[in-house]
Amino acid sequence: MELIRKEAKTIKGDKIRTWNFHTRASPPARRDVSTGSPNLQQQTPVGFQDDWEKIIDRLRGDSSELDIITIVGMAGIGKTTLAKRAYNHPSVVYRFDVRAWTTISQEYRERDTLLDLFYSVVPPANGSNQESDKEAADRLYGRLMTQPSKETYEGRNQEIADRLYKSLKGKRFLIVIDDIWSTDAWDNVSMLLPDDNNKSRVILTSRLIDVATYANANPDRQPHRLSFLNKDEGWELLREKLFGKRGCPFELEVIGKSIAEKCQGLPLAIVVVAGHLSKMSKTPDSWNTVAESVGSVVNCEPGQCLDILALSYNYLPQHLKACFLYMGAFPEDFEIPVWKLIRLWVAEGFLNATGHTTVEDIAEECLEDLIDRSLVLAGKRSNGKLKTCKVHDIMRDFCVEEAKRQNFLHVLKHSLDVLSESITALRRVSINCSTIFSSYSIQPTDSTVSVSRSILGFNISESSVFSYIDFKLLRVLDITFQHFPQFPSEIMQLVNLRYLAVATDSEFPPLVSQFWSLQTLILHLCSRSSTLPWEIWTMPNLRHLHVKPSICLPSPTKVECNRYSSLVLNNLQTFANITLADCTKDVFSSTPKLKKLGICESTEYTYPVQIPWSDFLYTSEKLWPYASDTISDLWLDCFRNLDLLPQLEALKIFGLKPPVILMHFQRILRN
């Protein structure tokens, strides 16, 4: 479908160009280039002071080479505003012979870009003061339109480009390339800019980090990646938009700060909300109404915030659109664990493995791509690996609305939503409300066939009661919010599950083997003595097994298993957490593709906990009487058996005090 869509767009573009050639004999009207001459009368700038100072320093710097200054950030964060401030700074205006501004936008149109720069740069033809810059450009394009061939069109474009290049040659220029989306567009524009080692500069703004990095190939000069305004800066911007130099009434200040904080430092959202507040009476009651629904205010302003955010979404390739919309399933301000997000993407079937690359690796690349496109915010990192991520609340609101419009995902935020929506008719459901009525069942009627593929629950009280019956097509079920004393038998009927997360007090049933497609299994257990059934070894598609706190694992060589020719989980990549006693040669031999392993030591043993860490480093020999030789031998065997896991990348150990860990390691090394 994506290929067909591109083909149709190409055909449509060819027809439009042909129509222009044959029907328009007059020069094209100059498009609005108000951005070409940004207004000098701007309000007092708010935020980005460090970035501003660095940009001005580079514009006025001593480097003779053509310097490409790149500014990157999500939609509405203030890239263009910052570029305008630099463009209009008096010292910058005085420094450059020529200044020009062009806005590229999503679809690069060579003609529009050439005209923007031509009007600002090229002097009147023949040196005549009587002929305006616009007249000179229109005269050239007028000749173009009287000759409808494609070759003539391209030739006249080249003529304009040559005149533009010659006009810039030898001059110290400042060119702003605003809102650029592709490296191809930069390649075309960069050919218009001579490098005469005369301290010329280019400012480039983009939402895409790869475009900014590509344009500025100098590794010593990283893009200026704009961050969000802090609380004080957000309030300052809102106050300035509403009251200017006048002070805010005292009774509105606390509410105003709350409204600004809920915009989470995104200048575009603050400006939109300020425009809404300016139309309302300035009373605490009116402002409290806005404070309770900032997201709705932003969404309801037509042609502003969401339309700008939608450009970033529309530019995504098809597989990334699904991955991005899915992030709306998580609650506001939710720190999303990367491992969980990736497992869900894979279970939903958004991505496919290619060659020797696993689908999990592809999912990690997709997440980094969304971050580079300024759609997702990076969170915590550890050892160079991204551990958590977030979505700005305004961007999440867009996800929720767009996903609902496409019937891709429905987020139920209130108990009334649950009662009014027919969940069985929704393909994917994320339940974000705090209470689900115990009398409500999502069981479909006999005459209804459920089309639901995914059910995820967040922020739901444990007293809520669900009934999961006859959802035969369900692929994803995440219900750890609800604690089951006994493992629900209804779940055992969901044979198409690929992702299951459940909390229970009971043993996992032996019928687990009928989950033939299950990829991810997450168990939250109350009992430390729980044991997985031996049928777990008969699940060929199992890729990730997460158990809290830990679980005992049966040996794959048990008598009951003898009727199976092979009990090897060739696809298992993650196992957290296994007990130390189960770190045997048999277990590790049956999980050869394991990449991440968590070992949780039993608490049955008593360890010395009163000895300071610093004392242990120098007197560890004195601790040996307190250590169990049996446990040390288990650790010795465990680490020897790790040789059977050639793809192991990460090992985590839980339940041991640091001195005891070192003590075991010292003994292992000595052996």
Side-chain angles (χ1 to χ4, degrees):
M1 288 302 297
E2 191 67 17
L3 292 174
I4 294 172
R5 191 178 290 110
K6 290 180 180 178
E7 181 78 12
K9 188 179 292 186
T10 302
I11 295 171
K12 181 181 178 182
D14 290 340
K15 287 187 175 181
I16 290 174
R17 282 195 291 272
T18 302
W19 181 85
N20 281 336
F21 289 145
H22 290 282
T23 61
R24 299 187 63 179
S26 59
R30 180 181 178 182
R31 70 170 174 151
D32 181 11
V33 289
S34 58
T35 52
S37 300
N39 191 351
L40 290 172
Q41 296 180 348
Q42 300 182 53
Q43 291 178 296
T44 304
V46 176
F48 311 122
Q49 191 60 32
D50 290 342
D51 294 289
W52 157 251
E53 292 174 357
K54 290 176 182 177
I55 290 170
I56 292 297
D57 287 343
R58 286 180 64 176
L59 289 174
R60 299 184 302 196
D62 294 330
S63 175
S64 297
E65 64 181 3
L66 178 64
D67 189 9
I68 315 299
I69 303 165
T70 54
I71 306 173
V72 183
M74 74 173 284
I77 203 168
K79 303 180 295 294
T80 300
T81 301
L82 186 59
K84 284 182 180 179
R85 285 176 57 192
Y87 186 87
N88 290 321
H89 193 271
S91 65
V92 172
V93 175
Y94 176 79
R95 181 179 179 83
F96 294 96
D97 303 323
V98 176
R99 293 181 307 131
W101 182 296
T102 183
T103 300
I104 302 294
S105 295
Q106 266 187 308
E107 292 187 17
Y108 170 64
R109 297 180 178 87
E110 183 181 14
R111 167 185 172 276
D112 290 341
T113 301
L114 284 172
L115 280 177
D116 280 351
L117 299 177
F118 190 93
Y119 290 141
S120 300
V121 173
V122 178
N126 303 320
S128 171
N129 294 326
Q130 303 301 316
E131 185 179 34
S132 70
D133 295 348
K134 182 181 185 303
E135 288 170 345
D138 288 347
R139 188 166 54 79
L140 282 170
Y141 266 90
R143 296 206 310 271
L144 160 64
M145 287 304 182
T146 60
Q147 304 179 47
S149 70
K150 183 177 181 181
E151 291 76 13
T152 302
Y153 182 88
E154 294 175 348
R156 291 295 183 253
N157 273 352
Q158 187 59 49
E159 184 179 345
I160 295 291
D162 291 342
R163 287 196 60 180
L164 180 61
Y165 184 90
K166 291 176 182 177
S167 296
L168 289 173
K169 188 70 177 174
K171 294 179 181 177
R172 181 184 294 177
F173 58 81
L174 169 61
I175 306 292
V176 176
I177 313 295
D178 187 34
D179 197 24
I180 190 169
W181 288 75
S182 72
T183 56
D184 289 342
W186 168 249
D187 286 338
N188 289 332
V189 173
S190 63
M191 290 190 296
L192 306 173
L193 310 176
D195 185 359
D196 296 320
N197 288 318
N198 62 352
K199 302 182 180 180
S200 291
R201 301 289 185 260
V202 174
I203 297 177
L204 179 147
T205 74
S206 180
R207 305 183 191 187
L208 311 177
I209 189 68
D210 63 326
V211 174
T213 305
Y214 177 85
N216 185 6
N218 189 335
D220 297 330
R221 294 177 174 173
Q222 296 296 318
H224 294 272
R225 194 158 193 167
L226 301 188
S227 55
F228 297 103
L229 301 177
N230 61 37
K231 293 180 182 179
D232 293 336
E233 291 169 341
W235 164 237
E236 183 183 352
L237 178 60
L238 182 66
R239 181 190 56 75
E240 184 180 280
K241 290 292 181 183
L242 287 170
F243 303 103
K245 295 182 179 179
R246 297 178 290 113
C248 172
F250 176 77
E251 65 273 14
L252 296 177
E253 188 166 329
V254 174
I255 307 172
K257 288 182 178 179
S258 173
I259 293 173
E261 185 176 348
K262 290 181 179 180
C263 292
Q264 294 187 314
L266 184 64
L268 176 62
I270 295 172
V271 170
V272 170
V273 171
H276 184 80
L277 289 172
S278 66
K279 304 170 188 175
M280 303 175 63
S281 59
K282 293 180 172 56
T283 63
D285 288 342
S286 297
W287 279 35
N288 273 322
T289 302
V290 175
E292 293 171 359
S293 56
V294 168
S296 299
V297 170
V298 173
N299 292 342
C300 291
E301 290 294 327
Q304 295 193 51
C305 196
L306 287 192
D307 285 354
I308 294 173
L309 298 179
L311 290 175
S312 294
Y313 168 75
N314 293 333
Y315 193 72
L316 291 174
Q318 205 62 33
H319 68 284
L320 281 185
K321 286 183 177 179
C323 293
F324 177 62
L325 290 184
Y326 199 80
M327 302 188 79
F330 296 91
E332 290 184 1
D333 303 320
F334 191 81
E335 196 86 6
I336 305 172
V338 168
W339 68 265
K340 181 170 186 173
L341 179 64
I342 287 176
R343 308 285 190 270
L344 287 167
W345 281 353
V346 172
E348 294 284 0
F350 296 154
L351 306 167
N352 295 312
T354 56
H356 297 292
T357 306
T358 66
V359 68
E360 286 82 5
D361 291 336
I362 293 174
E364 286 187 25
E365 293 174 3
C366 289
L367 180 56
E368 292 289 354
D369 195 358
L370 289 173
I371 292 171
D372 289 344
R373 293 170 184 268
S374 304
L375 286 167
V376 176
L377 309 176
K380 301 172 185 175
R381 289 187 183 269
S382 177
N383 299 323
K385 283 277 192 178
L386 187 65
K387 298 300 181 183
T388 63
C389 61
K390 290 182 68 175
V391 180
H392 190 281
D393 282 355
I394 303 300
M395 192 65 81
R396 178 185 173 274
D397 289 339
F398 170 82
C399 283
V400 171
E401 292 300 317
E402 182 66 16
K404 183 177 181 179
R405 187 184 70 81
Q406 295 188 22
N407 199 27
F408 175 85
L409 167 74
H410 286 72
V411 178
L412 307 183
K413 304 175 184 178
H414 308 287
S415 297
L416 293 178
D417 291 339
V418 179
L419 291 173
S420 61
E421 294 278 4
S422 174
I423 292 183
T424 58
L426 306 180
R427 192 170 185 85
R428 297 181 183 88
V429 181
S430 175
I431 304 168
N432 286 191
C433 46
S434 59
T435 304
I436 301 296
F437 293 115
S438 60
S439 60
Y440 181 73
S441 170
I442 61 174
Q443 176 180 353
T445 63
D446 293 338
S447 60
T448 302
V449 177
S450 169
V451 300
S452 297
R453 298 296 192 274
S454 306
I455 298 176
L456 300 96
F458 302 93
N459 300 331
I460 304 177
S461 64
E462 290 189 8
S463 60
S464 303
V465 177
F466 268 178
S467 175
Y468 304 94
I469 304 175
D470 210 24
F471 281 76
K472 298 296 186 183
L473 301 179
L474 208 63
R475 291 182 176 181
V476 172
L477 182 61
D478 189 335
I479 50 171
T480 51
F481 65 85
Q482 184 175 354
H483 198 88
F484 296 96
Q486 296 293 323
F487 193 89
S489 59
E490 299 98 325
I491 292 180
M492 301 309 299
Q493 307 303 314
L494 309 179
V495 294
N496 287 306
L497 282 177
R498 297 180 183 177
Y499 181 106
L500 174 61
V502 64
T504 181
D505 293 338
S506 65
E507 299 282 347
F508 201 59
L511 290 176
V512 64
S513 58
Q514 69 188 33
F515 291 132
W516 184 260
S517 300
L518 196 65
Q519 300 171 354
T520 299
L521 175 60
I522 301 172
L523 295 174
H524 291 186
L525 305 171
C526 284
S527 172
R528 284 183 173 271
S529 61
S530 296
T531 302
L532 283 171
W534 64 264
E535 286 86 353
I536 197 76
W537 294 105
T538 66
M539 300 177 65
N541 293 307
L542 191 63
R543 304 172 73 87
H544 308 283
L545 180 56
H546 298 258
V547 184
K548 293 182 179 180
S550 66
I551 199 164
C552 297
L553 190 66
S555 171
T557 58
K558 288 184 66 175
V559 176
E560 295 95 319
C561 302
N562 286 341
R563 65 178 179 271
Y564 293 92
S565 59
S566 175
L567 288 173
V568 178
L569 297 180
N570 275 317
N571 288 309
L572 191 67
Q573 300 176 29
T574 306
F575 195 164
N577 299 299
I578 189 175
T579 63
L580 175 60
D582 291 324
C583 295
T584 64
K585 186 177 297 185
D586 290 339
V587 169
F588 287 172
S589 296
S590 297
T591 55
K593 302 290 181 64
L594 209 61
K595 293 183 177 181
K596 298 178 181 179
L597 176 63
I599 303 174
C600 186
E601 177 57 282
S602 171
T603 57
E604 297 174 2
Y605 305 98
T606 302
Y607 298 118
V609 296
Q610 304 296 327
I611 302 170
W613 175 267
S614 56
D615 291 349
F616 172 78
L617 294 178
Y618 301 102
T619 61
S620 57
E621 288 292 340
K622 298 179 181 178
L623 295 176
W624 282 106
Y626 298 97
S628 165
D629 288 339
T630 302
I631 298 302
S632 294
D633 290 339
L634 284 175
W635 279 110
L636 183 59
D637 291 340
C638 171
F639 279 91
R640 284 173 176 165
N641 294 334
L642 290 179
D643 285 341
L644 300 171
L645 304 176
Q647 298 187 27
L648 192 65
E649 298 173 356
L651 174 64
K652 289 187 178 181
I653 300 174
F654 304 91
L656 289 179
K657 301 296 179 180
V660 178
I661 294 176
L662 270 187
M663 190 162 45
H664 293 319
F665 269 82
Q666 287 176 344
R667 183 169 182 181
I668 290 168
L669 290 173
R670 288 171 183 167
N671 285 272

